[in-house]
Amino acid sequence: MEIEHLNTLEEYHKRFGLECHNPWVGIVDFRKAPKCENGNFYLGFYLVKLKMKYCGDIRYGRTKYDYSEGSVFCFAPGQLVSINLQEGEVPTSMGLLFHPDLLNGTGLGKIIRTNYPYFSYGINEALLVNEEEVQYLLGAMERIQVELDAEEDEHTWNMVRIYISLVLEFLLRLYDRQFQRRGPVNQEVLVKFENQLHDYFTQRLQLKYGLPSVEYFARETGYTPKYFGDLIKKSIGVGAQDYIVSYIVDLAKHKLLLPDSSIKETAYELGFQYPQHFSRFFHKHVGCSPKEFKTKNHPHK
């Protein structure tokens, strides 16, 4: 199927047979959309979509969204979205669209991709919402629409950005909550991560790929690095990168204390390209050089 590029809100509205009233912000009622054909397209703007009833599969990148009644999913500029509606089904959802140009030069524009991880590409879960939360989001969208419909003044766009910020902060609460709701699933991911980290070194993958990375384990478990990192941190209180570092440090200490071990051999066996890189890494996380560590723990050698 051909991939469409919808870079502007006007192009997106036209794609669904709707009239676009503003190039920067739009509230879309998909229940009133004359055209709801399936398709694949890249977005040039942010989309927060509130679904109030299941109406077909939604794919985000290469993964299918896990959602049911009462759910929200979020897309950022440059991401591929595919819609596959069931035959005869009509969407029952509302969407908040806003162009990144609206945020240029603002505090929100600086933090939106770092502070709101649910925009990260490839997350395969929607944010689940109950009826009260649905009404909150609908109310926020309604307030934005009121501002857009009113006569513009010097406060209009600040008010619009404030309401968008409230929506994003509210969704962040849902994002954090889903880690608690998915406790057993998260525990499975954590156990898998621990096993994969152990296997990475026992299978000597570090000699082929170098030091293990969060990106590697995120890919192996089917999550984005950001989502995977958040999941691990909320499960054990330590970020995935810190956990990997801790594992490497413990392994380095063990290898350094083996009979006849050398710093150079230890560095290469752990996946460091150069011994001096290993020495800097070890000193940073242990507080002494590998040589000092060996001497301290083998005072008679």
Side-chain angles (χ1 to χ4, degrees), residues 275-290:
Q276 56 268 36
H277 291 174
F278 168 62
S279 294
R280 287 197 293 268
F281 169 89
F282 193 89
H283 191 281
K284 177 181 178 181
H285 297 288
V286 180
C288 64
S289 69

Side-chain angles (χ1 to χ4, degrees), residues 117-187:
Y118 44 78
F119 280 117
S120 296
Y121 187 85
I123 293 176
N124 60 352
E125 295 185 28
L127 304 176
L128 305 182
V129 289
N130 58 35
E131 180 59 29
E132 182 179 348
E133 292 160 347
V134 167
Q135 294 305 314
Y136 180 94
L137 291 170
L138 290 176
M141 292 183 186
E142 182 179 354
R143 292 306 308 167
I144 293 174
Q145 189 63 62
V146 168
E147 289 293 335
L148 296 176
D149 291 340
E151 183 176 354
E152 184 176 336
D153 58 27
E154 60 181 314
H155 303 288
T156 297
W157 293 108
N158 280 337
M159 293 297 295
V160 168
R161 294 186 189 97
I162 288 172
Y163 284 122
I164 290 176
S165 295
L166 288 174
V167 169
L168 300 185
E169 284 295 321
F170 185 75
L171 295 179
L172 189 58
R173 172 185 290 172
L174 305 183
Y175 177 80
D176 289 338
R177 185 183 64 190
Q178 79 179 19
F179 290 103
Q180 300 173 355
R181 285 185 171 181
R182 302 287 177 112
V185 175
N186 295 347
Q187 187 63 32

Side-chain angles (χ1 to χ4, degrees), residues 81-275:
V81 181
S82 300
I83 296 182
N84 182 25
L85 299 175
Q86 296 178 348
E87 185 176 355
E89 290 284 349
V90 177
T92 56
S93 54
M94 298 287 293
L96 165 61
L97 296 71
F98 55 99
H99 199 277
D101 287 352
L102 175 72
L103 309 181
N104 287 342
T106 68
L108 180 58
K110 294 179 181 179
I111 67 172
I112 188 168
R113 294 300 289 266
T114 57
N115 285 29
Y116 303 108
Y118 44 78
F119 280 117
S120 296
Y121 187 85
I123 293 176
N124 60 352
E125 295 185 28
L127 304 176
L128 305 182
V129 289
N130 58 35
E131 180 59 29
E132 182 179 348
E133 292 160 347
V134 167
Q135 294 305 314
Y136 180 94
L137 291 170
L138 290 176
M141 292 183 186
E142 182 179 354
R143 292 306 308 167
I144 293 174
Q145 189 63 62
V146 168
E147 289 293 335
L148 296 176
D149 291 340
E151 183 176 354
E152 184 176 336
D153 58 27
E154 60 181 314
H155 303 288
T156 297
W157 293 108
N158 280 337
M159 293 297 295
V160 168
R161 294 186 189 97
I162 288 172
Y163 284 122
I164 290 176
S165 295
L166 288 174
V167 169
L168 300 185
E169 284 295 321
F170 185 75
L171 295 179
L172 189 58
R173 172 185 290 172
L174 305 183
Y175 177 80
D176 289 338
R177 185 183 64 190
Q178 79 179 19
F179 290 103
Q180 300 173 355
R181 285 185 171 181
R182 302 287 177 112
V185 175
N186 295 347
Q187 187 63 32
E188 290 178 9
V189 174
L190 175 59
V191 172
K192 185 176 182 180
F193 171 45
E194 293 173 337
N195 291 335
Q196 288 176 332
L197 182 56
H198 175 74
D199 292 343
Y200 192 91
F201 285 97
T202 57
Q203 296 174 12
R204 304 179 69 79
L205 296 181
Q206 74 276 16
L207 302 182
K208 182 177 181 180
Y209 302 115
L211 294 172
S213 65
V214 175
E215 289 76 13
Y216 172 85
F217 296 109
R219 185 170 61 250
E220 291 295 305
T221 51
Y223 294 105
T224 64
K226 174 63 178 173
Y227 184 90
F228 179 76
D230 286 347
L231 188 155
I232 297 301
K233 188 170 185 178
K234 292 180 185 297
S235 297
I236 60 176
V238 177
Q241 181 59 40
D242 290 336
Y243 189 88
I244 293 173
V245 167
S246 178
Y247 187 93
I248 295 174
V249 167
D250 288 342
L251 193 58
K253 290 179 178 179
H254 170 72
K255 289 183 177 294
L256 286 171
L257 298 182
L258 291 175
D260 301 322
S261 66
S262 72
I263 295 173
K264 182 178 180 179
E265 290 174 349
T266 299
Y268 289 139
E269 287 180 5
L270 290 174
F272 288 88
Q273 190 172 2
Y274 302 105

Side-chain angles (χ1 to χ4, degrees), residues 30-31 33-34 36-38 53-56 84-92:
F30 291 94
R31 295 168 295 185
C36 297
E37 294 90 350
N38 296 331
K53 183 180 179 181
Y54 177 82
C55 58
N84 182 25
L85 299 175
Q86 296 178 348
E87 185 176 355
E89 290 284 349
V90 177
T92 56

